[in-house]
């Protein structure tokens, strides 16, 4: 049984796994959870609402070498796009699944992304909750991709 947050990225048409790995809930993400649970502080009204992808997650000289996220990260290093979450599902009393979808028309005709993030919002402001980096993934206008982000509490 998994006990760490985990992401699986799949090609939508073939259902082939493109990448899978663990992500990091950043300090601000932990602050959001704590304040939400206690109903205090500036993050008490935040919930997970969006995800983003970017191309700042790897070594500048080699897009196949990810640079690990740090707990002090507050944003994607070089965002490409942000989108609302497609679906949130409670799997058990201690786990949830968030589904994210990159449609064929999302982004430019051809781009590479190397990082993804989950964002919490109060409807006005957006804060990074979790971040993952990975070797370069190519996305073009001929394919869609789906991300399954498993959260454990």
């Amino acid at each position: 049984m998994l006990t760490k947050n985990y992401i699986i990225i799949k090609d939508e048409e073939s259902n082939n796994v493109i990448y899978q790995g663990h992500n990091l809930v950043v300090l601000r993400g932990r602050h959001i959870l704590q304040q939400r649970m206690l109903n205090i502080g500036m993050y008490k009204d935040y919930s997970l609402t969006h995800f983003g992808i970017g191309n700042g997650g790897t070594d500048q000289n080699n897009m196949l070498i990810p640079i690990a996220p740090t707990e002090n990260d507050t944003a994607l290093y070089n965002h490409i796009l942000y989108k609302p979450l497609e679906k949130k599902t409670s799997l058990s009393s201690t786990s949830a699944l968030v589904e994210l979808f990159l449609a064929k028309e999302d982004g430019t005709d051809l781009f590479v992304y190397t990082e993804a993030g989950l964002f919490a919002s109060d409807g006005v402001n957006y804060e990074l909750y979790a971040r993952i980096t990975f070797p370069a993934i190519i996305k073009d206008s001929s394919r869609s991709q789906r991300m399954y982000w498993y959260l454990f509490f």
Side-chain angles (χ1 to χ4, degrees), residues 12-37:
E12 181 73 0
E13 287 75 26
S14 69
N15 206 34
N16 290 335
V17 173
I18 298 169
Y19 179 80
Q20 56 188 357
H22 295 284
N23 70 263
L24 177 69
V25 175
V26 298
L27 279 175
R28 185 154 301 151
R30 297 198 306 261
H31 294 161
I32 291 167
L33 279 178
Q34 182 252 8
Q35 291 180 16
R36 177 98 176 159
M37 284 190 310

mmCIF file with all atom_site columns, all heavy atoms in Angstrom, residues 12-37:
data_model
loop_
_atom_site.group_PDB
_atom_site.id
_atom_site.type_symbol
_atom_site.label_atom_id
_atom_site.label_alt_id
_atom_site.label_comp_id
_atom_site.label_asym_id
_atom_site.label_entity_id
_atom_site.label_seq_id
_atom_site.pdbx_PDB_ins_code
_atom_site.Cartn_x
_atom_site.Cartn_y
_atom_site.Cartn_z
_atom_site.occupancy
_atom_site.B_iso_or_equiv
_atom_site.pdbx_formal_charge
_atom_site.auth_seq_id
_atom_site.auth_comp_id
_atom_site.auth_asym_id
_atom_site.auth_atom_id
_atom_site.pdbx_PDB_model_num
ATOM 1   N N   . GLU A 1 12 ? -3.434  9.668  -22.939 1.00 0.00 ? 12 GLU A N   1
ATOM 2   C CA  . GLU A 1 12 ? -4.876  9.439  -22.891 1.00 0.00 ? 12 GLU A CA  1
ATOM 3   C C   . GLU A 1 12 ? -5.338  8.413  -23.932 1.00 0.00 ? 12 GLU A C   1
ATOM 4   O O   . GLU A 1 12 ? -6.205  7.587  -23.658 1.00 0.00 ? 12 GLU A O   1
ATOM 5   C CB  . GLU A 1 12 ? -5.614  10.764 -23.090 1.00 0.00 ? 12 GLU A CB  1
ATOM 6   C CG  . GLU A 1 12 ? -7.110  10.660 -23.026 1.00 0.00 ? 12 GLU A CG  1
ATOM 7   C CD  . GLU A 1 12 ? -7.669  10.431 -21.627 1.00 0.00 ? 12 GLU A CD  1
ATOM 8   O OE1 . GLU A 1 12 ? -6.918  10.348 -20.653 1.00 0.00 ? 12 GLU A OE1 1
ATOM 9   O OE2 . GLU A 1 12 ? -8.906  10.322 -21.528 1.00 0.00 ? 12 GLU A OE2 1
ATOM 10  N N   . GLU A 1 13 ? -4.776  8.455  -25.120 1.00 0.00 ? 13 GLU A N   1
ATOM 11  C CA  . GLU A 1 13 ? -5.237  7.571  -26.185 1.00 0.00 ? 13 GLU A CA  1
ATOM 12  C C   . GLU A 1 13 ? -4.764  6.126  -25.996 1.00 0.00 ? 13 GLU A C   1
ATOM 13  O O   . GLU A 1 13 ? -5.533  5.189  -26.132 1.00 0.00 ? 13 GLU A O   1
ATOM 14  C CB  . GLU A 1 13 ? -4.801  8.100  -27.557 1.00 0.00 ? 13 GLU A CB  1
ATOM 15  C CG  . GLU A 1 13 ? -5.580  9.322  -28.028 1.00 0.00 ? 13 GLU A CG  1
ATOM 16  C CD  . GLU A 1 13 ? -5.208  10.625 -27.322 1.00 0.00 ? 13 GLU A CD  1
ATOM 17  O OE1 . GLU A 1 13 ? -4.062  10.746 -26.820 1.00 0.00 ? 13 GLU A OE1 1
ATOM 18  O OE2 . GLU A 1 13 ? -6.064  11.517 -27.247 1.00 0.00 ? 13 GLU A OE2 1
ATOM 19  N N   . SER A 1 14 ? -3.487  5.939  -25.679 1.00 0.00 ? 14 SER A N   1
ATOM 20  C CA  . SER A 1 14 ? -2.942  4.583  -25.560 1.00 0.00 ? 14 SER A CA  1
ATOM 21  C C   . SER A 1 14 ? -3.034  4.029  -24.143 1.00 0.00 ? 14 SER A C   1
ATOM 22  O O   . SER A 1 14 ? -2.884  2.823  -23.941 1.00 0.00 ? 14 SER A O   1
ATOM 23  C CB  . SER A 1 14 ? -1.477  4.572  -25.996 1.00 0.00 ? 14 SER A CB  1
ATOM 24  O OG  . SER A 1 14 ? -0.682  5.275  -25.054 1.00 0.00 ? 14 SER A OG  1
ATOM 25  N N   . ASN A 1 15 ? -3.241  4.903  -23.159 1.00 0.00 ? 15 ASN A N   1
ATOM 26  C CA  . ASN A 1 15 ? -3.255  4.550  -21.739 1.00 0.00 ? 15 ASN A CA  1
ATOM 27  C C   . ASN A 1 15 ? -1.877  4.105  -21.236 1.00 0.00 ? 15 ASN A C   1
ATOM 28  O O   . ASN A 1 15 ? -1.752  3.532  -20.165 1.00 0.00 ? 15 ASN A O   1
ATOM 29  C CB  . ASN A 1 15 ? -4.312  3.489  -21.424 1.00 0.00 ? 15 ASN A CB  1
ATOM 30  C CG  . ASN A 1 15 ? -4.760  3.574  -19.977 1.00 0.00 ? 15 ASN A CG  1
ATOM 31  O OD1 . ASN A 1 15 ? -4.831  4.652  -19.394 1.00 0.00 ? 15 ASN A OD1 1
ATOM 32  N ND2 . ASN A 1 15 ? -5.051  2.427  -19.385 1.00 0.00 ? 15 ASN A ND2 1
ATOM 33  N N   . ASN A 1 16 ? -0.824  4.353  -22.023 1.00 0.00 ? 16 ASN A N   1
ATOM 34  C CA  . ASN A 1 16 ? 0.535   4.018  -21.609 1.00 0.00 ? 16 ASN A CA  1
ATOM 35  C C   . ASN A 1 16 ? 1.014   4.991  -20.538 1.00 0.00 ? 16 ASN A C   1
ATOM 36  O O   . ASN A 1 16 ? 0.739   6.193  -20.604 1.00 0.00 ? 16 ASN A O   1
ATOM 37  C CB  . ASN A 1 16 ? 1.507   4.082  -22.788 1.00 0.00 ? 16 ASN A CB  1
ATOM 38  C CG  . ASN A 1 16 ? 1.287   2.965  -23.772 1.00 0.00 ? 16 ASN A CG  1
ATOM 39  O OD1 . ASN A 1 16 ? 0.765   1.907  -23.429 1.00 0.00 ? 16 ASN A OD1 1
ATOM 40  N ND2 . ASN A 1 16 ? 1.682   3.189  -25.010 1.00 0.00 ? 16 ASN A ND2 1
ATOM 41  N N   . VAL A 1 17 ? 1.738   4.465  -19.556 1.00 0.00 ? 17 VAL A N   1
ATOM 42  C CA  . VAL A 1 17 ? 2.317   5.307  -18.504 1.00 0.00 ? 17 VAL A CA  1
ATOM 43  C C   . VAL A 1 17 ? 3.521   6.051  -19.079 1.00 0.00 ? 17 VAL A C   1
ATOM 44  O O   . VAL A 1 17 ? 4.434   5.446  -19.635 1.00 0.00 ? 17 VAL A O   1
ATOM 45  C CB  . VAL A 1 17 ? 2.734   4.463  -17.287 1.00 0.00 ? 17 VAL A CB  1
ATOM 46  C CG1 . VAL A 1 17 ? 3.477   5.321  -16.270 1.00 0.00 ? 17 VAL A CG1 1
ATOM 47  C CG2 . VAL A 1 17 ? 1.518   3.810  -16.644 1.00 0.00 ? 17 VAL A CG2 1
ATOM 48  N N   . ILE A 1 18 ? 3.490   7.374  -18.956 1.00 0.00 ? 18 ILE A N   1
ATOM 49  C CA  . ILE A 1 18 ? 4.590   8.219  -19.404 1.00 0.00 ? 18 ILE A CA  1
ATOM 50  C C   . ILE A 1 18 ? 5.579   8.436  -18.262 1.00 0.00 ? 18 ILE A C   1
ATOM 51  O O   . ILE A 1 18 ? 6.790   8.433  -18.449 1.00 0.00 ? 18 ILE A O   1
ATOM 52  C CB  . ILE A 1 18 ? 4.062   9.580  -19.911 1.00 0.00 ? 18 ILE A CB  1
ATOM 53  C CG1 . ILE A 1 18 ? 3.146   9.358  -21.108 1.00 0.00 ? 18 ILE A CG1 1
ATOM 54  C CG2 . ILE A 1 18 ? 5.210   10.523 -20.252 1.00 0.00 ? 18 ILE A CG2 1
ATOM 55  C CD1 . ILE A 1 18 ? 2.379   10.607 -21.515 1.00 0.00 ? 18 ILE A CD1 1
ATOM 56  N N   . TYR A 1 19 ? 5.046   8.628  -17.051 1.00 0.00 ? 19 TYR A N   1
ATOM 57  C CA  . TYR A 1 19 ? 5.894   8.853  -15.884 1.00 0.00 ? 19 TYR A CA  1
ATOM 58  C C   . TYR A 1 19 ? 5.097   8.504  -14.632 1.00 0.00 ? 19 TYR A C   1
ATOM 59  O O   . TYR A 1 19 ? 3.879   8.682  -14.581 1.00 0.00 ? 19 TYR A O   1
ATOM 60  C CB  . TYR A 1 19 ? 6.346   10.324 -15.793 1.00 0.00 ? 19 TYR A CB  1
ATOM 61  C CG  . TYR A 1 19 ? 7.204   10.570 -14.578 1.00 0.00 ? 19 TYR A CG  1
ATOM 62  C CD1 . TYR A 1 19 ? 8.553   10.227 -14.573 1.00 0.00 ? 19 TYR A CD1 1
ATOM 63  C CD2 . TYR A 1 19 ? 6.660   11.101 -13.418 1.00 0.00 ? 19 TYR A CD2 1
ATOM 64  C CE1 . TYR A 1 19 ? 9.333   10.413 -13.443 1.00 0.00 ? 19 TYR A CE1 1
ATOM 65  C CE2 . TYR A 1 19 ? 7.437   11.300 -12.290 1.00 0.00 ? 19 TYR A CE2 1
ATOM 66  C CZ  . TYR A 1 19 ? 8.767   10.939 -12.305 1.00 0.00 ? 19 TYR A CZ  1
ATOM 67  O OH  . TYR A 1 19 ? 9.534   11.117 -11.193 1.00 0.00 ? 19 TYR A OH  1
ATOM 68  N N   . GLN A 1 20 ? 5.818   8.044  -13.619 1.00 0.00 ? 20 GLN A N   1
ATOM 69  C CA  . GLN A 1 20 ? 5.221   7.878  -12.294 1.00 0.00 ? 20 GLN A CA  1
ATOM 70  C C   . GLN A 1 20 ? 6.284   8.144  -11.238 1.00 0.00 ? 20 GLN A C   1
ATOM 71  O O   . GLN A 1 20 ? 7.461   7.834  -11.443 1.00 0.00 ? 20 GLN A O   1
ATOM 72  C CB  . GLN A 1 20 ? 4.613   6.489  -12.109 1.00 0.00 ? 20 GLN A CB  1
ATOM 73  C CG  . GLN A 1 20 ? 5.538   5.342  -12.331 1.00 0.00 ? 20 GLN A CG  1
ATOM 74  C CD  . GLN A 1 20 ? 4.794   4.012  -12.305 1.00 0.00 ? 20 GLN A CD  1
ATOM 75  O OE1 . GLN A 1 20 ? 3.588   3.961  -12.057 1.00 0.00 ? 20 GLN A OE1 1
ATOM 76  N NE2 . GLN A 1 20 ? 5.493   2.946  -12.554 1.00 0.00 ? 20 GLN A NE2 1
ATOM 77  N N   . GLY A 1 21 ? 5.872   8.784  -10.148 1.00 0.00 ? 21 GLY A N   1
ATOM 78  C CA  . GLY A 1 21 ? 6.818   9.094  -9.088  1.00 0.00 ? 21 GLY A CA  1
ATOM 79  C C   . GLY A 1 21 ? 6.161   9.841  -7.944  1.00 0.00 ? 21 GLY A C   1
ATOM 80  O O   . GLY A 1 21 ? 4.990   10.203 -8.009  1.00 0.00 ? 21 GLY A O   1
ATOM 81  N N   . HIS A 1 22 ? 6.932   10.069 -6.885  1.00 0.00 ? 22 HIS A N   1
ATOM 82  C CA  . HIS A 1 22 ? 6.445   10.753 -5.686  1.00 0.00 ? 22 HIS A CA  1
ATOM 83  C C   . HIS A 1 22 ? 6.633   12.263 -5.807  1.00 0.00 ? 22 HIS A C   1
ATOM 84  O O   . HIS A 1 22 ? 7.577   12.728 -6.425  1.00 0.00 ? 22 HIS A O   1
ATOM 85  C CB  . HIS A 1 22 ? 7.196   10.254 -4.452  1.00 0.00 ? 22 HIS A CB  1
ATOM 86  C CG  . HIS A 1 22 ? 6.941   8.816  -4.159  1.00 0.00 ? 22 HIS A CG  1
ATOM 87  N ND1 . HIS A 1 22 ? 5.771   8.364  -3.592  1.00 0.00 ? 22 HIS A ND1 1
ATOM 88  C CD2 . HIS A 1 22 ? 7.695   7.716  -4.372  1.00 0.00 ? 22 HIS A CD2 1
ATOM 89  C CE1 . HIS A 1 22 ? 5.821   7.059  -3.462  1.00 0.00 ? 22 HIS A CE1 1
ATOM 90  N NE2 . HIS A 1 22 ? 6.986   6.626  -3.931  1.00 0.00 ? 22 HIS A NE2 1
ATOM 91  N N   . ASN A 1 23 ? 5.733   13.001 -5.190  1.00 0.00 ? 23 ASN A N   1
ATOM 92  C CA  . ASN A 1 23 ? 5.844   14.453 -5.157  1.00 0.00 ? 23 ASN A CA  1
ATOM 93  C C   . ASN A 1 23 ? 6.119   14.915 -3.726  1.00 0.00 ? 23 ASN A C   1
ATOM 94  O O   . ASN A 1 23 ? 6.166   14.108 -2.807  1.00 0.00 ? 23 ASN A O   1
ATOM 95  C CB  . ASN A 1 23 ? 4.571   15.111 -5.698  1.00 0.00 ? 23 ASN A CB  1
ATOM 96  C CG  . ASN A 1 23 ? 3.397   14.938 -4.766  1.00 0.00 ? 23 ASN A CG  1
ATOM 97  O OD1 . ASN A 1 23 ? 2.582   14.055 -4.948  1.00 0.00 ? 23 ASN A OD1 1
ATOM 98  N ND2 . ASN A 1 23 ? 3.292   15.758 -3.745  1.00 0.00 ? 23 ASN A ND2 1
ATOM 99  N N   . LEU A 1 24 ? 6.294   16.195 -3.567  1.00 0.00 ? 24 LEU A N   1
ATOM 100 C CA  . LEU A 1 24 ? 6.553   16.783 -2.259  1.00 0.00 ? 24 LEU A CA  1
ATOM 101 C C   . LEU A 1 24 ? 5.462   17.792 -1.923  1.00 0.00 ? 24 LEU A C   1
ATOM 102 O O   . LEU A 1 24 ? 5.189   18.704 -2.712  1.00 0.00 ? 24 LEU A O   1
ATOM 103 C CB  . LEU A 1 24 ? 7.914   17.490 -2.265  1.00 0.00 ? 24 LEU A CB  1
ATOM 104 C CG  . LEU A 1 24 ? 8.297   18.211 -0.975  1.00 0.00 ? 24 LEU A CG  1
ATOM 105 C CD1 . LEU A 1 24 ? 8.571   17.197 0.140   1.00 0.00 ? 24 LEU A CD1 1
ATOM 106 C CD2 . LEU A 1 24 ? 9.520   19.087 -1.197  1.00 0.00 ? 24 LEU A CD2 1
ATOM 107 N N   . VAL A 1 25 ? 4.840   17.635 -0.758  1.00 0.00 ? 25 VAL A N   1
ATOM 108 C CA  . VAL A 1 25 ? 3.952   18.674 -0.240  1.00 0.00 ? 25 VAL A CA  1
ATOM 109 C C   . VAL A 1 25 ? 4.867   19.720 0.386   1.00 0.00 ? 25 VAL A C   1
ATOM 110 O O   . VAL A 1 25 ? 5.631   19.425 1.297   1.00 0.00 ? 25 VAL A O   1
ATOM 111 C CB  . VAL A 1 25 ? 2.956   18.125 0.792   1.00 0.00 ? 25 VAL A CB  1
ATOM 112 C CG1 . VAL A 1 25 ? 2.124   19.259 1.395   1.00 0.00 ? 25 VAL A CG1 1
ATOM 113 C CG2 . VAL A 1 25 ? 2.048   17.078 0.161   1.00 0.00 ? 25 VAL A CG2 1
ATOM 114 N N   . VAL A 1 26 ? 4.814   20.930 -0.146  1.00 0.00 ? 26 VAL A N   1
ATOM 115 C CA  . VAL A 1 26 ? 5.710   21.995 0.296   1.00 0.00 ? 26 VAL A CA  1
ATOM 116 C C   . VAL A 1 26 ? 5.238   22.574 1.637   1.00 0.00 ? 26 VAL A C   1
ATOM 117 O O   . VAL A 1 26 ? 4.123   22.294 2.089   1.00 0.00 ? 26 VAL A O   1
ATOM 118 C CB  . VAL A 1 26 ? 5.829   23.102 -0.781  1.00 0.00 ? 26 VAL A CB  1
ATOM 119 C CG1 . VAL A 1 26 ? 6.429   22.534 -2.071  1.00 0.00 ? 26 VAL A CG1 1
ATOM 120 C CG2 . VAL A 1 26 ? 4.478   23.753 -1.061  1.00 0.00 ? 26 VAL A CG2 1
ATOM 121 N N   . LEU A 1 27 ? 6.093   23.375 2.275   1.00 0.00 ? 27 LEU A N   1
ATOM 122 C CA  . LEU A 1 27 ? 5.739   23.957 3.580   1.00 0.00 ? 27 LEU A CA  1
ATOM 123 C C   . LEU A 1 27 ? 4.424   24.725 3.532   1.00 0.00 ? 27 LEU A C   1
ATOM 124 O O   . LEU A 1 27 ? 3.586   24.596 4.418   1.00 0.00 ? 27 LEU A O   1
ATOM 125 C CB  . LEU A 1 27 ? 6.852   24.896 4.064   1.00 0.00 ? 27 LEU A CB  1
ATOM 126 C CG  . LEU A 1 27 ? 8.049   24.237 4.725   1.00 0.00 ? 27 LEU A CG  1
ATOM 127 C CD1 . LEU A 1 27 ? 9.123   25.275 5.053   1.00 0.00 ? 27 LEU A CD1 1
ATOM 128 C CD2 . LEU A 1 27 ? 7.645   23.484 5.969   1.00 0.00 ? 27 LEU A CD2 1
ATOM 129 N N   . ARG A 1 28 ? 4.252   25.521 2.490   1.00 0.00 ? 28 ARG A N   1
ATOM 130 C CA  . ARG A 1 28 ? 3.002   26.288 2.390   1.00 0.00 ? 28 ARG A CA  1
ATOM 131 C C   . ARG A 1 28 ? 1.806   25.351 2.290   1.00 0.00 ? 28 ARG A C   1
ATOM 132 O O   . ARG A 1 28 ? 0.754   25.614 2.853   1.00 0.00 ? 28 ARG A O   1
ATOM 133 C CB  . ARG A 1 28 ? 3.046   27.242 1.205   1.00 0.00 ? 28 ARG A CB  1
ATOM 134 C CG  . ARG A 1 28 ? 1.797   28.104 1.183   1.00 0.00 ? 28 ARG A CG  1
ATOM 135 C CD  . ARG A 1 28 ? 1.962   29.423 0.511   1.00 0.00 ? 28 ARG A CD  1
ATOM 136 N NE  . ARG A 1 28 ? 2.989   30.216 1.125   1.00 0.00 ? 28 ARG A NE  1
ATOM 137 C CZ  . ARG A 1 28 ? 3.716   31.118 0.462   1.00 0.00 ? 28 ARG A CZ  1
ATOM 138 N NH1 . ARG A 1 28 ? 3.504   31.328 -0.817  1.00 0.00 ? 28 ARG A NH1 1
ATOM 139 N NH2 . ARG A 1 28 ? 4.637   31.822 1.065   1.00 0.00 ? 28 ARG A NH2 1
ATOM 140 N N   . GLY A 1 29 ? 1.965   24.230 1.601   1.00 0.00 ? 29 GLY A N   1
ATOM 141 C CA  . GLY A 1 29 ? 0.890   23.238 1.530   1.00 0.00 ? 29 GLY A CA  1
ATOM 142 C C   . GLY A 1 29 ? 0.549   22.684 2.899   1.00 0.00 ? 29 GLY A C   1
ATOM 143 O O   . GLY A 1 29 ? -0.625  22.495 3.238   1.00 0.00 ? 29 GLY A O   1
ATOM 144 N N   . ARG A 1 30 ? 1.567   22.442 3.706   1.00 0.00 ? 30 ARG A N   1
ATOM 145 C CA  . ARG A 1 30 ? 1.323   21.949 5.063   1.00 0.00 ? 30 ARG A CA  1
ATOM 146 C C   . ARG A 1 30 ? 0.671   23.029 5.921   1.00 0.00 ? 30 ARG A C   1
ATOM 147 O O   . ARG A 1 30 ? -0.198  22.729 6.753   1.00 0.00 ? 30 ARG A O   1
ATOM 148 C CB  . ARG A 1 30 ? 2.621   21.425 5.667   1.00 0.00 ? 30 ARG A CB  1
ATOM 149 C CG  . ARG A 1 30 ? 3.133   20.228 4.864   1.00 0.00 ? 30 ARG A CG  1
ATOM 150 C CD  . ARG A 1 30 ? 4.131   19.362 5.569   1.00 0.00 ? 30 ARG A CD  1
ATOM 151 N NE  . ARG A 1 30 ? 5.307   19.993 6.104   1.00 0.00 ? 30 ARG A NE  1
ATOM 152 C CZ  . ARG A 1 30 ? 6.503   20.021 5.515   1.00 0.00 ? 30 ARG A CZ  1
ATOM 153 N NH1 . ARG A 1 30 ? 6.664   19.479 4.317   1.00 0.00 ? 30 ARG A NH1 1
ATOM 154 N NH2 . ARG A 1 30 ? 7.527   20.581 6.102   1.00 0.00 ? 30 ARG A NH2 1
ATOM 155 N N   . HIS A 1 31 ? 1.065   24.294 5.710   1.00 0.00 ? 31 HIS A N   1
ATOM 156 C CA  . HIS A 1 31 ? 0.415   25.400 6.431   1.00 0.00 ? 31 HIS A CA  1
ATOM 157 C C   . HIS A 1 31 ? -1.072  25.468 6.064   1.00 0.00 ? 31 HIS A C   1
ATOM 158 O O   . HIS A 1 31 ? -1.924  25.692 6.928   1.00 0.00 ? 31 HIS A O   1
ATOM 159 C CB  . HIS A 1 31 ? 1.069   26.738 6.091   1.00 0.00 ? 31 HIS A CB  1
ATOM 160 C CG  . HIS A 1 31 ? 2.473   26.862 6.573   1.00 0.00 ? 31 HIS A CG  1
ATOM 161 N ND1 . HIS A 1 31 ? 3.341   27.792 6.069   1.00 0.00 ? 31 HIS A ND1 1
ATOM 162 C CD2 . HIS A 1 31 ? 3.181   26.167 7.490   1.00 0.00 ? 31 HIS A CD2 1
ATOM 163 C CE1 . HIS A 1 31 ? 4.516   27.672 6.663   1.00 0.00 ? 31 HIS A CE1 1
ATOM 164 N NE2 . HIS A 1 31 ? 4.444   26.694 7.521   1.00 0.00 ? 31 HIS A NE2 1
ATOM 165 N N   . ILE A 1 32 ? -1.364  25.291 4.787   1.00 0.00 ? 32 ILE A N   1
ATOM 166 C CA  . ILE A 1 32 ? -2.762  25.326 4.335   1.00 0.00 ? 32 ILE A CA  1
ATOM 167 C C   . ILE A 1 32 ? -3.573  24.236 5.023   1.00 0.00 ? 32 ILE A C   1
ATOM 168 O O   . ILE A 1 32 ? -4.673  24.487 5.524   1.00 0.00 ? 32 ILE A O   1
ATOM 169 C CB  . ILE A 1 32 ? -2.841  25.212 2.799   1.00 0.00 ? 32 ILE A CB  1
ATOM 170 C CG1 . ILE A 1 32 ? -2.283  26.486 2.151   1.00 0.00 ? 32 ILE A CG1 1
ATOM 171 C CG2 . ILE A 1 32 ? -4.260  24.929 2.339   1.00 0.00 ? 32 ILE A CG2 1
ATOM 172 C CD1 . ILE A 1 32 ? -2.009  26.375 0.669   1.00 0.00 ? 32 ILE A CD1 1
ATOM 173 N N   . LEU A 1 33 ? -3.041  23.012 5.067   1.00 0.00 ? 33 LEU A N   1
ATOM 174 C CA  . LEU A 1 33 ? -3.753  21.912 5.737   1.00 0.00 ? 33 LEU A CA  1
ATOM 175 C C   . LEU A 1 33 ? -3.976  22.216 7.218   1.00 0.00 ? 33 LEU A C   1
ATOM 176 O O   . LEU A 1 33 ? -5.088  22.036 7.737   1.00 0.00 ? 33 LEU A O   1
ATOM 177 C CB  . LEU A 1 33 ? -2.968  20.610 5.606   1.00 0.00 ? 33 LEU A CB  1
ATOM 178 C CG  . LEU A 1 33 ? -3.104  19.843 4.313   1.00 0.00 ? 33 LEU A CG  1
ATOM 179 C CD1 . LEU A 1 33 ? -2.207  18.610 4.337   1.00 0.00 ? 33 LEU A CD1 1
ATOM 180 C CD2 . LEU A 1 33 ? -4.535  19.436 4.053   1.00 0.00 ? 33 LEU A CD2 1
ATOM 181 N N   . GLN A 1 34 ? -2.940  22.674 7.895   1.00 0.00 ? 34 GLN A N   1
ATOM 182 C CA  . GLN A 1 34 ? -3.044  22.958 9.324   1.00 0.00 ? 34 GLN A CA  1
ATOM 183 C C   . GLN A 1 34 ? -4.080  24.043 9.606   1.00 0.00 ? 34 GLN A C   1
ATOM 184 O O   . GLN A 1 34 ? -4.939  23.901 10.465  1.00 0.00 ? 34 GLN A O   1
ATOM 185 C CB  . GLN A 1 34 ? -1.664  23.361 9.863   1.00 0.00 ? 34 GLN A CB  1
ATOM 186 C CG  . GLN A 1 34 ? -1.646  23.637 11.348  1.00 0.00 ? 34 GLN A CG  1
ATOM 187 C CD  . GLN A 1 34 ? -1.498  25.106 11.681  1.00 0.00 ? 34 GLN A CD  1
ATOM 188 O OE1 . GLN A 1 34 ? -1.540  25.983 10.819  1.00 0.00 ? 34 GLN A OE1 1
ATOM 189 N NE2 . GLN A 1 34 ? -1.357  25.384 12.954  1.00 0.00 ? 34 GLN A NE2 1
ATOM 190 N N   . GLN A 1 35 ? -4.036  25.134 8.835   1.00 0.00 ? 35 GLN A N   1
ATOM 191 C CA  . GLN A 1 35 ? -4.964  26.233 9.072   1.00 0.00 ? 35 GLN A CA  1
ATOM 192 C C   . GLN A 1 35 ? -6.388  25.871 8.677   1.00 0.00 ? 35 GLN A C   1
ATOM 193 O O   . GLN A 1 35 ? -7.343  26.306 9.315   1.00 0.00 ? 35 GLN A O   1
ATOM 194 C CB  . GLN A 1 35 ? -4.474  27.489 8.354   1.00 0.00 ? 35 GLN A CB  1
ATOM 195 C CG  . GLN A 1 35 ? -3.203  28.027 8.991   1.00 0.00 ? 35 GLN A CG  1
ATOM 196 C CD  . GLN A 1 35 ? -2.673  29.274 8.328   1.00 0.00 ? 35 GLN A CD  1
ATOM 197 O OE1 . GLN A 1 35 ? -3.373  29.942 7.572   1.00 0.00 ? 35 GLN A OE1 1
ATOM 198 N NE2 . GLN A 1 35 ? -1.422  29.600 8.598   1.00 0.00 ? 35 GLN A NE2 1
ATOM 199 N N   . ARG A 1 36 ? -6.519  25.074 7.638   1.00 0.00 ? 36 ARG A N   1
ATOM 200 C CA  . ARG A 1 36 ? -7.852  24.612 7.221   1.00 0.00 ? 36 ARG A CA  1
ATOM 201 C C   . ARG A 1 36 ? -8.464  23.716 8.304   1.00 0.00 ? 36 ARG A C   1
ATOM 202 O O   . ARG A 1 36 ? -9.636  23.842 8.631   1.00 0.00 ? 36 ARG A O   1
ATOM 203 C CB  . ARG A 1 36 ? -7.726  23.869 5.895   1.00 0.00 ? 36 ARG A CB  1
ATOM 204 C CG  . ARG A 1 36 ? -8.976  23.283 5.381   1.00 0.00 ? 36 ARG A CG  1
ATOM 205 C CD  . ARG A 1 36 ? -9.617  24.156 4.370   1.00 0.00 ? 36 ARG A CD  1
ATOM 206 N NE  . ARG A 1 36 ? -10.790 23.459 3.859   1.00 0.00 ? 36 ARG A NE  1
ATOM 207 C CZ  . ARG A 1 36 ? -11.771 24.039 3.279   1.00 0.00 ? 36 ARG A CZ  1
ATOM 208 N NH1 . ARG A 1 36 ? -11.735 25.322 3.076   1.00 0.00 ? 36 ARG A NH1 1
ATOM 209 N NH2 . ARG A 1 36 ? -12.806 23.375 2.865   1.00 0.00 ? 36 ARG A NH2 1
ATOM 210 N N   . MET A 1 37 ? -7.645  22.822 8.864   1.00 0.00 ? 37 MET A N   1
ATOM 211 C CA  . MET A 1 37 ? -8.163  21.911 9.900   1.00 0.00 ? 37 MET A CA  1
ATOM 212 C C   . MET A 1 37 ? -8.572  22.658 11.163  1.00 0.00 ? 37 MET A C   1
ATOM 213 O O   . MET A 1 37 ? -9.562  22.311 11.800  1.00 0.00 ? 37 MET A O   1
ATOM 214 C CB  . MET A 1 37 ? -7.106  20.859 10.258  1.00 0.00 ? 37 MET A CB  1
ATOM 215 C CG  . MET A 1 37 ? -6.965  19.781 9.219   1.00 0.00 ? 37 MET A CG  1
ATOM 216 S SD  . MET A 1 37 ? -5.935  18.394 9.732   1.00 0.00 ? 37 MET A SD  1
ATOM 217 C CE  . MET A 1 37 ? -4.477  19.163 10.339  1.00 0.00 ? 37 MET A CE  1
#
